[in-house]
Amino acid sequence: MKNSYSIFGQGFVGTNFVKFLKKKKYKVFIPKKGKYKFNKNLHNVIYCIGEDFSPNDSYTKNHERYFAANLGIVPKIIFNNKFNSFTLLSSTRVYLGNSSKKTNENDLIYVNTNITNFLFNSLKLAAENLCLSLPNKKIKVARMSNLFGNNFTNQTYLLPSLIRNSLGKKKINILINKKSSKDFLHVNEAIDVLLKIIKNGKHRLYNIASGKNIELFRISQKIKEITNCKIGYKNQHKLIKEPIIDISRVKKEFNFKPKKDLIKSLNQIIINYKNY
């Protein structure tokens, strides 16, 4: 069934996927957490289970969880189920170790296993490699940039954390240099083009991003303007400028043109969060 989807993952991306699909009257199956084998065709599987890594977390407990979410569960679903398509949602953060600014899907990717923060990248890339090594053209990978939109979960990603703290604590802390920059894309724009990739994509690997970066300083100042919170800047020696994501493949194939701007969207996102 072309319009039947199974969504693995109930965080920010997963919940927005379900809302988007149900609005289109598509059939959606949401597996129970911890269940990965089914005696039926899952049709179009979208894997968006993921855990971010913090070096301060407990080694034995949380590292096992990170491994399972970003890599370990993937083969359990692929090898134990029938499906028409399987799409792994990876991250454009895998490009972070590249010394060059190139982020084309065909570029080599640098990973330093001696650096703890590369654990996330290593797990994502291993999951990607597993998917793309299988001789099934219906198994694809999408490297997503930082997605924004209505986020009512308790996840610790940058933007939702800033919004929660600006309203609850009346203060936000920027823990890296304020001139650090990231790529942000609205979640609905990402979902819309991903569905096109699942149905008609000519390739098996795509970058999905806005193609431009925004400095944390601009984001924090806009949140301050809206919520009247205070801003604390720490670790200003640590500058992280994520490489500009090359989205020429998805632009050429699907005429993909991101329209929603994060800075202009922040006011409504914060209003929606307050009214939730």
Side-chain angles (χ1 to χ4, degrees):
M1 295 175 65
K2 289 184 178 181
N3 295 330
S4 181
Y5 292 82
S6 296
I7 309 298
F8 285 86
Q10 300 175 26
F12 168 59
V13 178
T15 53
N16 276 279
F17 241 115
V18 171
K19 290 178 183 177
F20 190 96
L21 293 169
K22 286 186 174 180
K23 193 173 182 179
K24 285 183 170 290
K25 306 299 182 182
Y26 289 174
K27 187 176 180 180
V28 181
F29 172 56
I30 308 170
K32 289 184 179 180
K33 191 173 182 179
K35 186 171 174 59
Y36 309 117
K37 184 177 180 179
F38 303 88
N39 294 317
K40 64 176 182 178
N41 191 324
L42 298 179
H43 300 292
N44 300 292
V45 176
I46 297 174
Y47 186 91
C48 46
I49 302 174
E51 293 263 1
D52 205 352
F53 172 72
S54 171
N56 298 321
D57 284 340
S58 165
Y59 178 82
T60 54
K61 182 180 178 180
N62 291 334
H63 279 58
E64 183 177 0
R65 192 178 75 238
Y66 295 135
F67 174 83
N70 295 309
L71 174 59
I73 297 171
V74 176
K76 292 182 180 180
I77 299 172
I78 290 178
F79 298 134
N80 291 297
N81 295 284
K82 292 181 179 179
F83 50 81
N84 300 112
S85 72
F86 180 96
T87 305
L88 172 76
L89 299 198
S90 185
S91 171
T92 55
R93 277 178 54 186
V94 299
Y95 294 113
L96 195 57
N98 286 23
S99 57
S100 69
K101 298 298 182 181
K102 294 178 66 179
T103 56
N104 185 278
E105 290 91 343
N106 293 324
D107 289 332
L108 296 178
I109 289 180
Y110 174 82
V111 173
N112 188 341
T113 56
N114 292 314
I115 299 177
T116 306
N117 286 341
F118 274 85
L119 175 61
F120 178 89
N121 295 26
S122 300
L123 293 173
K124 288 295 186 188
L125 288 170
E128 286 188 19
N129 194 220
L130 170 65
C131 290
L132 298 177
S133 67
L134 296 171
N136 184 344
K137 294 182 179 180
K138 291 296 184 179
I139 298 178
K140 297 177 181 177
V141 174
R143 291 174 180 161
M144 298 279 201
S145 74
N146 303 282
L147 303 182
F148 71 91
N150 292 329
N151 191 337
F152 307 123
T153 70
N154 291 319
Q155 291 176 310
T156 58
Y157 299 121
L158 174 67
L159 188 60
S161 295
L162 292 179
I163 293 174
R164 279 198 306 271
N165 292 335
S166 71
L167 295 171
K169 299 180 180 179
K170 293 297 180 181
K171 182 178 180 180
I172 56 178
N173 289 316
I174 304 299
L175 303 180
I176 55 178
N177 190 286
K178 62 184 180 181
K179 291 186 178 181
S180 296
S181 59
K182 297 174 176 287
D183 182 296
F184 289 90
L185 177 68
H186 194 277
V187 63
N188 285 347
E189 292 187 304
I191 292 171
D192 183 64
V193 75
L194 184 65
L195 294 179
K196 295 176 182 176
I197 288 171
I198 292 171
K199 293 179 179 180
N200 301 304
K202 298 176 182 177
H203 298 87
R204 295 185 62 186
L205 174 62
Y206 290 86
N207 289 336
I208 299 180
S210 70
K212 60 181 181 180
N213 285 8
I214 302 176
E215 291 185 342
L216 298 190
F217 176 77
R218 290 186 60 205
I219 298 171
S220 59
Q221 285 296 320
K222 187 62 178 181
I223 293 176
K224 177 183 178 180
E225 176 187 319
I226 297 168
T227 65
N228 198 32
C229 68
K230 295 181 179 179
I231 307 175
Y233 292 107
K234 300 179 180 180
N235 300 327
Q236 290 304 289
H237 63 282
K238 187 177 181 181
L239 178 66
I240 300 178
K241 287 196 173 184
E242 296 185 359
I244 302 298
I245 305 302
D246 184 342
I247 58 172
S248 57
R249 174 174 290 181
V250 74
K251 287 176 74 173
K252 181 179 179 180
E253 199 169 327
F254 299 101
N255 195 29
F256 179 60
K257 297 178 181 179
K259 297 178 181 179
K260 294 188 178 181
D261 179 84
L262 171 61
I263 301 300
K264 293 179 180 179
S265 301
L266 276 173
N267 188 58
Q268 190 59 54
I269 290 172
I270 291 172
I271 290 173
N272 292 344
Y273 184 87
K274 289 170 67 175
N275 293 334
Y276 178 70

